Amino acid sequence: MSANSPRPVLVAVGETSVSVPADLTLADSPLDMMVRAAKATLHDASNNRIAAQLDTIVAVRTMSESAPHLKSPFGDAENYPRAVAQRLGITPKHALYSQIGGQTPQALVNQYAAAIAAGETRAVLIVGGEATANQKALKKAGIAADWRVLASGECDTQGVDPFDILDAAQLANELFDIAAIYTLFDHAHRARLGKTREAYAQHCANLFAPFSEVAASHSNALQNRALSAAQIAAVSEDNPAITDCYTRAMVAKDGVNQAAGLILMQEELAIEIGLDPSQFVYPLAGTESTEKTISMRTDLSSAPAMQAAYDVVFEATGLSVEDIDCFDLYSCFPIAVFCACNALGIDADDPRGLTLTGGLPFFGGPGNNYSMHAIVQLAHRLRRRSQGLGLIGANGG
């Protein structure tokens, strides 16, 4: 980015969560959740001129449209970005429907920060949401819903190809279950550490107990009760074994109704329309990398692509991990956090903490959109401090 390039700035963030209603005929759809988050984001800006500045709207792909076996029985909006815009009463020139993967929200921030710096975009609303808890409740009750919505208008798509993250060996061995795959990774990590199954289970529980504490204080979290490491590790009726490595408390929870959004725009434009500079958060650098498929990896306990992503982002900024004030590291399963800590060279009990939300096992895992919530919380944290540096680590596939 040259000295004369527009400077991208995060000017507004918003998130929401709702409980499953007693009257299931009133249950929100994913589109309803996205609209709630978009309105919360616009409200955060405290400026009625901002909506008219949006030249681009982006929706994070729903889980229902991420893979055939996840398809909602109640349907989807035909064009999520335009459907959100329609409900908001805005008409951005450009619209995009994202790729799949938990890395998506951060990847979109990277993409549009670069587009703003290049003068290709002036202001973008990025939003995502899920209503999986409602969907499960409706199915259990045998109640039909119609979540289909027609919305017209140009919309680009980043596509969805699950074979980007599968290989022939996985297909041949029917290795599709995500918890089973990550269990392989965690067992490889356990072997590298030389720990017994019991000792490693406690190791994972010790990692996640502080996450649970953070979630317990978060108004939008799925779980509002902190669990001790002993409770996380112990197999019980309320905390059954999911695999031979994980209890239920150690894995991401998709049964949530959560949504979040953000607005990025040119700094000059934000100041011109009267936004409050004390609320601005500035993206410094973002990196992306792609790991080899499972059968091509020489060591299932490590993540060299993750290592590369962190190395490059520090190289690009001239910073070190010691400069970072707060982190949110993707936490779908323990190994994702352990690998991030190894890549960053920090301890799992780093006093700065590893999550801002409480993580996917306790805050909740709203499909591809979890890291949007992490970015929202990062913005709030940095605003309260009036200065400082934060790091988001997002993982998908």
Side-chain angles (χ1 to χ4, degrees):
M1 185 172 71
S2 72
N4 296 322
S5 297
R7 190 179 186 187
V9 59
L10 179 63
V11 298
V13 293
E15 66 179 346
T16 187
S17 66
V18 298
S19 301
V20 175
D23 182 354
L24 287 173
T25 63
L26 302 177
D28 281 347
S29 68
L31 175 61
D32 295 328
M33 294 303 299
M34 288 186 194
V35 172
R36 284 177 179 271
K39 288 181 177 179
T41 303
L42 290 168
H43 179 75
D44 180 63
S46 301
N47 186 299
N48 59 16
R49 297 177 62 190
I50 193 169
Q53 309 303 320
L54 297 171
D55 58 21
T56 305
I57 186 166
V58 180
V60 174
R61 187 172 293 272
T62 63
M63 288 307 290
S64 175
E65 296 195 319
S66 294
H69 71 282
L70 299 173
K71 191 65 178 174
S72 168
F74 310 127
D76 287 279
E78 184 178 274
N79 181 336
Y80 271 106
R82 292 297 179 187
V84 173
Q86 184 174 279
R87 292 269 294 272
L88 295 176
I90 60 175
T91 55
K93 182 178 179 181
H94 304 291
L96 176 72
Y97 196 33
S98 83
Q99 62 185 328
I100 62 172
Q103 79 286 353
T104 298
Q106 184 57 55
L108 290 169
V109 169
N110 297 351
Q111 176 182 341
Y112 281 97
I116 288 170
E120 298 166 357
T121 301
R122 285 167 56 84
V124 56
L125 168 65
I126 307 173
V127 66
E130 296 287 347
T132 308
N134 283 345
Q135 179 179 309
K136 291 182 176 182
L138 286 162
K139 287 180 68 177
K140 184 177 181 179
I143 297 174
D146 187 356
W147 289 350
R148 296 171 298 173
V149 173
L150 297 178
S152 61
E154 166 273 332
C155 180
D156 293 329
T157 178
Q158 292 181 328
V160 51
D161 184 359
F163 292 99
D164 284 344
I165 57 174
L166 299 174
D167 61 24
Q170 273 182 262
L171 294 170
N173 289 281
E174 299 183 1
L175 188 56
F176 307 130
D177 183 82
I178 300 300
I181 292 169
Y182 275 81
T183 292
L184 291 178
F185 300 156
D186 261 302
H187 274 315
H189 186 239
R190 176 180 69 81
R192 183 155 66 88
L193 296 178
K195 291 184 178 291
T196 64
R197 290 174 184 267
E198 294 75 16
Y200 191 72
Q202 192 61 53
H203 187 53
C204 294
N206 292 342
L207 169 75
F208 273 155
F211 283 65
S212 176
E213 291 178 8
V214 172
S217 64
H218 193 315
S219 61
N220 287 306
L222 172 67
Q223 186 168 305
N224 57 15
R225 178 175 65 92
L227 300 178
S228 68
Q231 289 173 310
I232 293 169
V235 175
S236 66
E237 185 177 348
D238 293 332
N239 190 37
I242 301 300
T243 70
D244 69 351
C245 188
Y246 305 138
T247 63
R248 186 174 182 271
M250 296 178 187
V251 303
K253 308 294 189 303
D254 68 348
V256 294
N257 300 320
Q258 293 174 329
L262 59 86
I263 294 174
L264 284 167
M265 64 171 29
Q266 294 177 359
E267 180 186 38
E268 185 177 10
L269 175 61
I271 293 171
E272 178 185 315
I273 66 172
L275 296 181
D276 181 0
S278 71
Q279 301 300 294
F280 294 176
V281 175
Y282 294 90
L284 297 184
T287 58
E288 297 170 50
S289 58
T290 302
E291 194 61 78
K292 293 179 179 178
T293 53
I294 295 174
S295 66
M296 299 299 293
R297 302 183 195 182
T298 57
D299 179 3
L300 294 182
S301 71
S302 66
M306 185 184 287
Q307 180 77 61
Y310 286 126
D311 287 348
V312 172
V313 83
F314 284 118
E315 180 182 341
T317 57
L319 299 168
S320 73
V321 71
E322 287 76 23
D323 296 314
I324 303 301
D325 297 293
C326 49
F327 302 88
D328 193 276
L329 305 180
Y330 204 84
S331 52
C332 49
F333 299 97
I335 187 62
V337 186
F338 288 137
C339 281
C341 289
N342 290 340
L344 290 165
I346 60 175
D347 294 330
D349 60 354
D350 190 288
R352 291 168 289 187
L354 305 180
T355 183
L356 298 169
T357 65
L360 286 90
F362 309 104
F363 171 81
N368 300 316
N369 200 53
Y370 163 77
S371 285
M372 191 84 76
H373 293 271
I375 296 167
V376 169
Q377 290 305 309
L378 176 62
H380 288 319
R381 176 73 64 89
L382 295 180
R383 284 172 173 179
R384 289 194 297 269
R385 299 172 71 106
S386 299
Q387 60 181 353
L389 296 164
L391 177 65
I392 300 291
N395 180 65

